[in-house]
C-alpha cells in the first residue's frame, strides 16, 4: 500500500496568518498518461464528517474559499491556508487514489495560536 | 442537495454481525460509485469498501475482505454494508461516501475520492 505521511501532526497559527500542511507519498501518485496527480485533501471539523477541499491535487471543490490552495506533484504536496480564519480549525487529511487501496495521511490538526 | 444518511450501527459482541444502510438522495444514485470509509475513535480515516454504480464491481480493504459485503439497491437508492465476524478493531464511525465519478475503477481495483459524506453511524464491537 502507498503510505501517506503528513507533517506536522499539529500546528497553531495566529488568525490571519498562513498555515502550511505537507503530505508525502511513499511512491509517486502522478499518472503519466494524463499528467494528473491522484491526490485529494479533506477538512474534518470536530463532530463532523470529512469535507472534500481539493482533488487532482490542486482542483478546488466548489464552495471552498480561495484562501485554501493545493499544490505539488509526484510525491510531495502542500495544502496552504493563506489567512487562517477561526472556522478553519479542523483536522486536515490528504488521500491518494492512484493505487488501490486508497490511503489517507494520519491527519494534521490546525489550531489557533 | 445531496444527502447521505447512514443507519444500523450499534453495540455488537465480537463474532457478531451488523448491517449498515445509507439512504441517498439528491443525485443520480446509479451513476456514482459508492463507498464505506471508517474512522476509529480518535484516529484517522480508512477506506473500507467500494461498489460501482451498476453494482457489478465491488472492492474491499484487505482488513475486511471475506467478512464484509457491500451492496446497493438502486430501486431504493440505498447502499448497504453487511458486516460479519466482527472484531474489536472494527469499532469505528462508518461513513457512507460518494465518488463524483461513475468510473474510477478497473480490473485491478478502485481509485476514487469522495465528494459527499454522510454523518456516520457508530459501530462498537465489545463484549
Amino acid at each position: 500500500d502507498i503510505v501517506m505521511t503528513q507533517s506536522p501532526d499539529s500546528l497553531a497559527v495566529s488568525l490571519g496568518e498562513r498555515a502550511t500542511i505537507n503530505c508525502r507519498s511513499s511512491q509517486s501518485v502522478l499518472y503519466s498518461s494524463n499528467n494528473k496527480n491522484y491526490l485529494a485533501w479533506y477538512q474534518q471539523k470536530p463532530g463532523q464528517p470529512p469535507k472534500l477541499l481539493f482533488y487532482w491535487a490542486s482542483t478546488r471543490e466548489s464552495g471552498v474559499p480561495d484562501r485554501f490552495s493545493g499544490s505539488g506533484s509526484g510525491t510531495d504536496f502542500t495544502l496552504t491556508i493563506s489567512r487562517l480564519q477561526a472556522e478553519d480549525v479542523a483536522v486536515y487529511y490528504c488521500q491518494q487514489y492512484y493505487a488501490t487501496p486508497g490511503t489517507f495521511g494520519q491527519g494534521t490538526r490546525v489550531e489557533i495560536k | 442537495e445531496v444527502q447521505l444518511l447512514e443507519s444500523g450501527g450499534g453495540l455488537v459482541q465480537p463474532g457478531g454481525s451488523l448491517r449498515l444502510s445509507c439512504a441517498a438522495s439528491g443525485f443520480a444514485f446509479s451513476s456514482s460509485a459508492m463507498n464505506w470509509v471508517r474512522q476509529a475513535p480518535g484516529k484517522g480515516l480508512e477506506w473500507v469498501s467500494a461498489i460501482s454504480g451498476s453494482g457489478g464491481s465491488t472492492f474491499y480493504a484487505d482488513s475486511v475482505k471475506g467478512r464484509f459485503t457491500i451492496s446497493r439497491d438502486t430501486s431504493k437508492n440505498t447502499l448497504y454494508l453487511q458486516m460479519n465476524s466482527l472484531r474489536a478493531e472494527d469499532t469505528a464511525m462508518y461513513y457512507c461516501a460518494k465518488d463524483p465519478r461513475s468510473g474510477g475503477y478497473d480490473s485491478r481495483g478502485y481509485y476514487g475520492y469522495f465528494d459527499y459524506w454522510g454523518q456516520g453511524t457508530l459501530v462498537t464491537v465489545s463484549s
Side-chain angles (χ1 to χ4, degrees):
Chain A
D1 298 358
I2 295 180
V3 177
M4 307 300 291
T5 303
Q6 294 180 224
S7 61
D9 289 334
S10 65
L11 73 161
V13 176
S14 299
L15 289 172
E17 296 300 307
R18 178 185 299 263
T20 300
I21 300 168
N22 300 300
C23 173
R24 175 167 289 178
S25 56
S26 60
Q27 66 184 77
S28 175
V29 299
L30 173 62
Y31 193 35
S32 56
S33 67
N34 59 13
N35 201 36
K36 288 187 173 182
N37 287 284
Y38 284 55
L39 190 285
W41 286 99
Y42 301 88
Q43 174 194 63
Q44 186 176 30
K45 295 182 179 181
Q48 295 185 18
K51 172 189 173 183
L52 178 65
L53 297 178
F54 292 91
Y55 52 99
W56 306 127
S58 59
T59 301
R60 189 181 292 106
E61 176 70 342
S62 176
V64 173
D66 60 7
R67 64 179 181 275
F68 290 88
S69 62
S71 63
S73 185
T75 61
D76 290 284
F77 301 89
T78 300
L79 175 68
T80 302
I81 311 172
S82 60
R83 298 172 303 279
L84 190 74
Q85 305 295 308
E87 61 264 32
D88 301 334
V89 169
V91 179
Y92 294 83
Y93 295 93
C94 60
Q95 178 225 349
Q96 66 79 20
Y97 49 102
Y98 176 87
T100 189
T103 48
F104 294 86
Q106 81 277 17
T108 295
R109 184 176 304 276
V110 174
E111 300 172 326
I112 304 296
K113 184 186 292 183
Chain B
E1 178 191 7
V2 172
Q3 290 193 341
L4 300 170
L5 183 61
E6 302 94 336
S7 60
L11 175 63
V12 61
Q13 292 188 340
S17 299
L18 274 179
R19 188 197 198 199
L20 307 184
S21 299
C22 171
S25 61
F27 66 101
F29 184 67
S30 60
S31 296
S32 295
M34 295 295 296
N35 295 261
W36 291 98
V37 179
R38 68 185 180 183
Q39 186 171 35
K43 302 297 184 183
L45 300 165
E46 179 189 17
W47 172 79
V48 172
S49 183
I51 187 168
S52 64
S54 67
S57 297
T58 57
F59 309 91
Y60 300 94
D62 285 346
S63 58
V64 306
K65 199 171 294 183
R67 300 187 298 122
F68 290 10
T69 302
I70 191 172
S71 62
R72 64 194 298 162
D73 185 337
T74 54
S75 68
K76 296 182 178 179
N77 278 10
T78 301
L79 175 72
Y80 302 101
L81 186 67
Q82 178 66 45
M83 304 187 297
N84 299 330
S85 303
L86 283 161
R87 307 166 179 167
E89 55 264 35
D90 295 318
T91 294
M93 183 72 78
Y94 284 73
Y95 295 104
C96 166
K98 170 185 166 295
D99 187 322
R101 305 168 299 171
S102 59
Y105 60 92
D106 60 22
S107 59
R108 295 172 301 154
Y110 172 74
Y111 316 91
Y113 63 95
F114 319 113
D115 63 345
Y116 286 94
W117 301 61
Q119 291 296 313
T121 187
L122 183 61
V123 173
T124 303
V125 184
S126 175
S127 54

